[in-house]
Amino acid sequence: FSSAVAAGRAQVQQEPSAETTEGTGISINCSHPNIQPFEFIYWYRLFPGRGPALITVIQKDSKVLGDPLGRLWVAADRRSSRLWLARPRLGDAAVYYCALGD
């Protein structure tokens, strides 16, 4: 299982790639140091040959995710967020990225 991550907009920064084995949890971090108070954090995943699929939208705190199974956290200062995939399956291999928007 391997997963690549990419920045959704110039306002966010992510590591270029992350890798894990099937069933082993992985965290994907996103830095958004210039986030504005009115902006939301969007997390997407992109499977080969398909358009981006929205995973979730969040502004603060954290939330449990059902597909992919895991959790999303936002730092108290909102300058970063972290997507944790609890038990990734081979079918979860995709590009995961975050973006900011109104």
Side-chain angles (χ1 to χ4, degrees):
F1 174 85
S2 73
S3 165
V5 293
R9 281 173 48 175
Q11 295 177 329
V12 300
Q13 299 168 344
Q14 290 181 261
E15 293 296 319
S17 66
E19 193 171 305
T20 189
T21 57
E22 190 170 15
T24 302
I26 186 171
S27 289
I28 303 170
N29 299 306
C30 180
S31 174
H32 24 82
N34 299 317
I35 191 169
Q36 300 299 309
F38 58 86
E39 287 183 304
F40 288 84
I41 304 160
Y42 295 78
W43 276 87
Y44 295 90
R45 69 178 166 180
L46 178 63
F47 292 108
R50 294 195 222 161
L54 180 65
I55 297 172
T56 192
V57 179
I58 193 169
Q59 193 169 41
K60 60 181 181 176
D61 301 322
S62 70
K63 67 167 58 173
V64 175
L65 303 175
D67 184 27
L69 183 63
R71 189 170 194 93
L72 179 61
W73 284 275
V74 176
D77 64 5
R78 296 187 359 102
R79 292 181 179 195
S80 65
S81 57
R82 178 169 52 105
L83 175 65
W84 178 65
L85 304 180
R87 291 183 296 278
R89 303 159 296 169
L90 188 57
D92 292 321
V95 174
Y96 291 81
Y97 63 94
C98 66
L100 300 178
D102 303 355

